[in-house]
Amino acid sequence: MSSSVFKSVTPPNTVKKPQSSTYHNFTRIDDYAWLRADNWQEMFKDPTKLDSDIRDHLNEENAYQKALMQDTEALQKTLFAEMKSRIKEDDASIPVKDGAYAYGSLYEKGGEQPHIFRTPRDGGDKDILLNGDKEAEGKAYFRLASTDASPDHKLMLWGYDDKGSEFFTLKVRDLNTKTDLNDIIVDTDGGGAWDAQANGFFYAHLDENHRPSKLFYHKQGTEQTQDQLIYEEKDAGFFMSVSSSALNDFISIDINDHETSECWLIPADQPDAKPQLVLKRETGIQYDLASGGDVFYILTNIDGAKDFKIMTAPTNAPQRENWKDLVAEKPGTLILAHGVYKDHLVWLERNNGLPLIMIHDRKTGEQHAISFDEEAYSLGLQGSAEYDTDTIRFSYSSMTTPNQQFEYNMATRERHLLKTQEVPSGHDPKNYITKRLMVPARDGEQVPVSIVYHKDTVLDGSAPCLLYGYGSYGITIPASFNTNCLSLVNRGFIYAIAHIRGGKDKGFAWYENGKRAQKTNTFYDFIDAARYLAEQKFTSAEKIVAHGGSAGGMLMGAVANMAPDAFGAIIAEVPFVDVLNTMLDDTLPLTPPEWPEWGNPLASATDYQTIAAYSPYENVSAQVYPPILAVAGLTDPRVTYWEPAKWVARLREMKTDSNPVLLRTNMDAGHAGASGRFSRLEEVAYSYAFALKSAGKLDAEPFMAK
């Protein structure tokens, strides 16, 4: 690909305002540090507070990218219409039974936001408890957080964010009158946990740096200023959340970073009780409790169980000395999550990138698996809202098979299909081919790559390819059904997901070998996957569009520096590209909790040098780069808008080619982009239009239209 597909437009000239900093005797000059708003805390809550010079610059960038993408506007509308046509507009979930009711969510035709409803337990008319579209009226951004009915089903705790900054407000709704009570709790993480009598709830409060540092108990009908402080986390490097057990017998205060956890328990019927520590945090030790009546089931990596095992402990004495092994670790098979019911223990595990659901009979100890036969697929374990049940739910999909929801009886092993994702515009799996490739990495490892393409696509190297990657925090990108990518696949694209190191696709070691000092393995795996796809004639280097977001955006920045010739274009959404400066700024929301993932350059000269060696912003050099699109959200607290803004400025300054670098900033959204289900599709359509334009496929007709 070349810049010839883009018309000549003069890009914004980013002013240089050099700022010097010295750490560990290393001095650096940052010419674009001024793009970081000094009042970012205030601005996240009120975007009108943004400095006018910064706002003007972002608006200039938006005008520039709009001019370059003007010839794709019709295509964007076409792509949007296609993607929207694959969504059942008046869709509704299968209600989940909980006590006398069953709860679910639905969308109305043309609606952007979910509506929360309930029916009588065994079916009946839908009672709308909360209308998301109504709550979003008049707001440029609106995101509904979790909703949680009280144990007596008379009230509902719900939350929302109307800035994109992820400072959520909690409200309490009377489910009889459908009106909100006077209880308004601001600056929360969006969730909460009712006490057993529904007299009040626990919630995590976010400080000015967006950290959940304090846990409060709110008594129903009182002011937030009267809320009782239950627990305060002094270490800025740890996240904190609160939840209740399926039995409503315990409130759990969960504290963790990316490698260490700690849990405190409060009896749900004694909200004033002092929290009880289960196991004091110890670096590298993780554990997660699920209540099973008189026993806790503990998912943990203690005793060197790198891929995790399940242990038990009495609920009245859950300390470490009482833990006993139940499900042994199987090296290479990572246990991801677990759930407990009256007669069964359930867990989700992954081996060589493919998931499996395991069922354990609590009385007999007998185990069996729920498995599937496709080459690459995704499983989701929903479980049940109730404890005394034999039935759970799970979802299944593959890159060619729409999402299916099943109900499964753990005792009889009967599987019942509840719902198949409807694609209103039509979808025939026989028109698509999916494969699981094992790509040889340069150090001998085998990197899984999932691909899907149309059966009419010719595999002679001429097909363009969108190659997606993430590779951080142990997060695995599933090979699941994605209706959006069909707009590319139907136009002759190969759609590929590289399951690179830094995720847990092949066990915990796959994650460890892609973090901190081993981080470059993540980048090499992605580059090797791209080169393999070209060598095997699935595509060719100049036709590969690399795509990643957030930490995957950091991946995009790194591979752009390391192997720009391996890609024809790059899309980096909310990209974490200013890694060194961000990890040096301990006032930012995620910096201290991220040190276990990346290293602490403030405390360690070695970590400083490790990060400096790959940080995309630091390593932009005088070389040829492919066309690059960066997407940002103004109020994003996770990857701040100034990271891509600075990166784009440095790329334009340093690169030796005429390929464009675009920066598109959503001035009304944060990390997740636009909030409505269709508004988000407009952003996807924009990115896909960039991919098609870069690949010279601006006028490509879909196979299905021929």
Side-chain angles (χ1 to χ4, degrees):
M1 303 178 200
S2 71
S3 60
S4 60
V5 297
F6 292 91
K7 65 182 181 180
S8 179
V9 179
T10 303
N13 178 32
T14 311
V15 177
K16 289 185 178 183
K17 299 179 183 179
Q19 293 184 20
S20 174
S21 63
T22 301
Y23 297 91
H24 310 293
N25 296 320
F26 297 104
T27 298
R28 295 159 38 255
I29 304 295
D30 189 346
D31 290 324
Y32 305 110
W34 66 273
L35 288 167
R36 175 191 183 277
D38 291 333
N39 67 333
W40 61 266
Q41 293 103 324
E42 182 183 26
M43 189 275 293
F44 279 176
K45 291 187 176 182
D46 183 359
T48 64
K49 302 291 186 182
L50 182 65
D51 179 87
S52 59
D53 287 345
I54 299 174
R55 183 178 294 277
D56 289 345
H57 175 74
L58 296 178
N59 285 334
E60 287 177 16
E61 289 283 5
N62 276 340
Y64 172 68
Q65 57 83 14
K66 188 173 183 180
L68 282 178
M69 293 289 286
Q70 188 173 15
D71 60 347
T72 72
E73 289 179 1
L75 174 61
Q76 289 178 49
K77 291 178 181 177
T78 298
L79 293 172
F80 172 78
E82 286 178 9
M83 291 186 281
K84 185 177 179 181
S85 73
R86 300 188 193 107
I87 295 176
K88 182 173 169 55
E89 290 200 44
D90 55 351
D91 200 12
S93 67
I94 303 295
V96 176
K97 294 178 180 179
D98 186 6
Y101 301 96
Y103 291 82
S105 64
L106 61 82
Y107 285 94
E108 290 188 340
K109 189 170 184 178
E112 293 271 9
Q113 300 290 340
H115 299 194
I116 308 303
F117 71 86
R118 72 180 177 188
T119 67
R121 177 182 179 87
D122 295 317
D125 293 338
K126 294 183 177 68
D127 183 15
I128 302 298
L129 307 177
L130 187 146
N131 182 329
D133 288 314
K134 183 178 179 181
E135 299 298 336
E137 284 179 2
K139 296 179 172 66
Y141 180 93
F142 182 84
R143 176 183 166 192
L144 186 66
S146 60
T147 58
D148 185 19
S150 59
D152 59 9
H153 299 278
K154 294 179 179 179
L155 303 171
M156 183 175 73
L157 182 64
W158 70 283
Y160 67 90
D161 168 24
D162 58 7
K163 299 289 190 303
S165 57
E166 299 181 47
F167 281 97
F168 289 89
T169 297
L170 293 178
K171 290 187 176 182
V172 177
R173 178 153 298 193
D174 184 315
L175 296 184
N176 182 39
T177 64
K178 312 301 187 298
T179 58
D180 291 324
L181 305 180
N182 292 328
D183 306 73
I184 299 177
I185 311 299
V186 299
D187 297 342
T188 79
D189 65 359
W194 289 101
D195 67 36
Q197 291 82 19
N199 291 324
F201 55 85
F202 299 85
Y203 67 92
H205 181 265
L206 304 181
D207 63 21
E208 64 174 6
N209 289 346
H210 206 276
R211 294 174 187 146
S213 58
K214 293 181 179 179
L215 185 84
F216 286 94
Y217 175 73
H218 174 78
K219 189 173 182 179
Q220 200 59 43
T222 63
E223 297 291 329
Q224 183 175 5
T225 54
Q226 298 176 265
D227 291 351
Q228 179 184 355
L229 178 64
I230 302 298
Y231 180 89
E232 181 173 3
E233 177 52 51
K234 302 288 189 180
D235 190 333
F238 281 80
F239 300 101
M240 179 174 59
S241 62
V242 63
S243 61
S244 57
S245 62
L247 266 172
N248 285 322
D249 54 352
F250 285 100
I251 301 295
S252 176
I253 306 171
D254 298 304
I255 301 161
N256 62 83
D257 60 14
H258 292 293
E259 63 181 12
T260 303
S261 60
E262 183 176 275
C263 179
W264 297 72
L265 298 171
I266 300 172
D269 60 356
Q270 302 174 46
D272 293 330
K274 183 178 179 181
Q276 177 186 18
L277 176 63
V278 176
L279 175 65
K280 185 178 180 180
R281 69 191 69 171
E282 180 181 336
T283 301
I285 302 300
Q286 300 179 55
Y287 65 98
D288 180 38
L289 275 65
S291 176
D294 59 352
V295 63
F296 282 120
Y297 290 84
I298 307 165
L299 177 61
T300 180
N301 66 347
I302 207 163
D303 302 326
K306 186 172 290 188
D307 285 317
F308 287 77
K309 61 181 178 177
I310 298 176
M311 305 180 75
T312 61
T315 52
N316 61 1
Q319 285 69 36
R320 172 67 181 99
E321 58 268 23
N322 300 316
W323 293 14
K324 294 181 179 179
D325 286 343
L326 178 69
V327 179
E329 181 202 18
K330 293 185 289 184
T333 298
L334 179 66
I335 303 179
L336 301 162
H338 72 316
V340 181
Y341 305 97
K342 183 173 179 288
D343 296 321
H344 298 90
L345 165 67
V346 184
W347 67 89
L348 179 67
E349 64 183 36
R350 183 184 294 116
N351 178 263
N352 208 27
L354 292 179
L356 198 68
I357 295 174
M358 296 295 300
I359 311 294
H360 171 96
D361 189 303
R362 291 179 60 179
K363 294 177 181 176
T364 67
E366 185 178 0
Q367 295 180 8
H368 69 274
I370 306 175
S371 59
F372 293 86
D373 298 326
E374 283 195 82
E375 201 170 314
Y377 61 87
S378 172
L379 279 181
L381 177 60
Q382 279 86 46
S384 170
E386 298 182 314
Y387 176 77
D388 189 0
T389 182
D390 283 332
T391 61
I392 58 171
R393 289 188 185 176
F394 68 88
S395 62
Y396 170 84
S397 74
S398 74
M399 296 181 82
T400 59
T401 306
N403 186 275
Q404 297 175 321
Q405 290 187 37
F406 290 89
E407 188 169 77
Y408 185 79
N409 189 300
M410 297 179 284
T412 65
R413 306 189 184 185
E414 292 176 316
R415 184 184 305 183
H416 174 56
L417 178 63
L418 294 175
K419 180 181 180 181
T420 297
Q421 178 183 353
E422 187 177 332
V423 183
S425 60
H427 173 73
D428 186 351
K430 296 188 178 108
N431 287 328
Y432 304 94
I433 297 169
T434 184
K435 291 181 181 295
R436 182 82 156 187
L437 309 176
M438 297 305 291
V439 173
R442 62 194 66 190
D443 64 355
E445 283 284 2
Q446 296 287 307
V447 180
V449 176
S450 301
I451 67 170
V452 63
Y453 54 92
H454 196 278
K455 66 179 182 180
D456 293 338
T457 298
V458 179
L459 302 183
D460 61 358
S462 63
C465 172
L466 188 89
L467 178 60
Y468 181 85
Y470 189 76
S472 291
Y473 305 116
I475 293 172
T476 296
I477 305 300
S480 55
F481 189 64
N482 176 355
T483 57
N484 293 338
C485 77
L486 295 177
S487 287
L488 293 179
V489 172
N490 287 343
R491 288 174 170 81
F493 263 74
I494 309 287
Y495 183 81
I497 302 171
H499 304 281
I500 51 184
R501 276 173 279 188
K504 292 177 182 172
D505 305 69
K506 295 176 69 175
F508 196 83
W510 200 245
Y511 168 44
E512 282 189 318
N513 290 327
K515 64 183 288 195
R516 298 193 68 156
Q518 313 300 320
K519 191 62 205 171
T520 52
N521 285 333
T522 301
F523 316 139
Y524 290 141
D525 285 355
F526 191 82
I527 294 166
D528 292 345
R531 297 202 189 283
Y532 182 86
L533 289 171
E535 290 166 3
Q536 299 299 311
K537 300 297 184 184
F538 286 101
T539 183
S540 54
E542 68 273 10
K543 294 182 179 295
I544 297 177
V545 180
H547 183 204
S550 195
M554 176 202 63
L555 169 68
M556 296 300 101
V559 301
N561 290 332
M562 297 166 69
D565 63 314
F567 308 98
I570 291 174
I571 301 172
E573 297 184 339
V574 289
F576 178 36
V577 283
D578 196 13
V579 185
L580 184 58
N581 283 315
T582 294
M583 288 298 102
L584 286 166
D585 187 350
D586 59 4
T587 69
L588 292 174
L590 295 183
T591 293
E594 302 288 287
W595 284 332
E597 179 77 14
W598 312 104
N600 182 350
L602 281 171
S604 166
T606 299
D607 288 350
Y608 181 100
Q609 291 174 286
T610 297
I611 296 171
Y614 69 74
S615 178
Y617 180 64
E618 306 297 327
N619 289 281
V620 172
S621 64
Q623 62 177 333
V624 173
Y625 285 87
I628 294 175
L629 167 64
V631 179
L634 180 62
T635 54
D636 186 349
R638 297 172 184 264
V639 178
T640 52
Y641 73 85
W642 59 82
E643 292 205 31
K646 290 171 58 179
W647 179 52
V648 165
R650 179 161 282 183
L651 279 165
R652 290 215 194 101
E653 174 194 354
M654 299 294 294
K655 67 192 188 69
T656 61
D657 57 81
S658 58
N659 292 326
V661 181
L662 289 68
L663 173 63
R664 186 185 199 223
T665 303
N666 189 327
M667 304 298 280
D668 295 313
H671 195 67
S675 56
R677 58 174 176 160
F678 300 132
S679 298
R680 174 58 185 155
L681 290 183
E682 292 176 352
E683 297 186 344
V684 177
Y686 177 90
S687 293
Y688 281 7
F690 175 84
L692 285 159
K693 179 180 174 72
S694 299
K697 293 281 188 178
L698 198 57
D699 300 318
E701 290 292 326
F703 285 121
M704 302 299 287
K706 293 182 178 179

